[in-house]
Amino acid sequence: MESLSFSLHSNLHSLTLLQHSNQNKKRRKITHQNSLALTPWTSHTQHRLYSSNLLLALRRNSNPTASLQVRAAADRVLAATAKGRTRWSRAILANPFGRWRKQRQRHHKKVKNCSANKCMKKTTPDIRRRLPAVQKKARVLGKLIPGCRKVSFPKLLEEAGDYISALEMQVRAMKALADLLPTGAPPPDPIGLS
Amino acid sequence: MSSRRSRSRQSGASAEITDAQITDLVSKLQQLIPELRARRSDKVSSAKVLQETCNYIKNLHREVDDLSDRLSELLANTDSNSAQAAIIRSLLM
């Protein structure tokens, strides 16, 4: 009950997120990390909030909006909607072009051949205990989620769950926006636009 | 000082987390992945859950890329501000 009222109050307060005010650096340390008040990504309020903020952000750009700018705006507004309560959202707010910049750099990177011992040294103690298969996939997962390359295994799992829910809402909202915007020609299939 | 405290707390917290809690986190993550949800089997290994999680996130990233391209084209074609204003009003209602 208290968490619900707190969430509603946060939603009202977050309407001014676009001004990009500095968030206070109070980080509440709760003994049970699972009880953190994460964003309810499936709620209708969050969907509308994200959609309206994304449209406002896109209107700010110059008339020929590049696809890269749309992606960066979509991620930045998503992280702002999360209000920096998760590691991935704080990472996006700190470096909004991070994910797309990495994709560019990836073409020029050489494939590293590191020995097993070197790889083992880089991993955190929690991941080291696990089986090699889990360890390898955990490292891949850590690269996919912003800001989660060097986090513990339990933290990685928590961030992954919240990040997936956020991405699903982002896809829903962007699809709805694309359907709302007028097209040059009527679509051939009126039922589904996917 | 605050960074030191947070680090020490993080290390302490991570040491206290048991294997049962990790299993619980993996199980929660499994419920989010459509590929694994359809199976409804309890015998999915942690490595499999992580693999499908990576695949699902890559798929979502690809969908965001495609939708960004689509929105970029639609915004380029939309030249009247009144259309966008109408959209914003409908969204805010």
Side-chain angles (χ1 to χ4, degrees), chain A residues 32-85:
Chain A
H32 288 289
Q33 292 182 355
N34 291 331
S35 63
L36 274 175
L38 294 177
T39 311
W41 297 110
T42 54
S43 75
H44 198 55
T45 305
Q46 296 298 322
H47 182 99
R48 288 195 169 274
L49 180 67
Y50 177 77
S51 301
S52 57
N53 282 340
L54 178 58
L55 254 188
L56 292 176
L58 293 179
R59 281 188 73 199
R60 284 184 178 179
N61 290 329
S62 57
N63 284 333
T65 307
S67 177
L68 181 63
Q69 285 176 319
V70 175
R71 288 175 208 154
D75 275 359
R76 195 167 51 245
V77 174
L78 186 70
T81 308
K83 292 189 280 293
R85 286 186 291 206

Side-chain angles (χ1 to χ4, degrees), chain A residues 48 65 67 137 163 168, chain B residues 51 56 61 68-69 72 91:
Chain A
R48 288 195 169 274
T65 307
S67 177
K137 300 188 191 308
Y163 187 54
E168 286 175 339
Chain B
Q51 179 66 50
Y56 190 47
H61 280 172
S68 297
D69 293 336
S72 176
L91 282 174

Side-chain angles (χ1 to χ4, degrees), chain B residues 19-36:
Chain B
D19 286 344
Q21 280 174 320
I22 291 180
T23 304
D24 183 59
L25 287 171
V26 172
S27 176
K28 286 182 180 178
L29 195 59
Q30 183 179 342
Q31 301 304 316
L32 292 173
I33 312 298
E35 178 74 18
L36 300 176

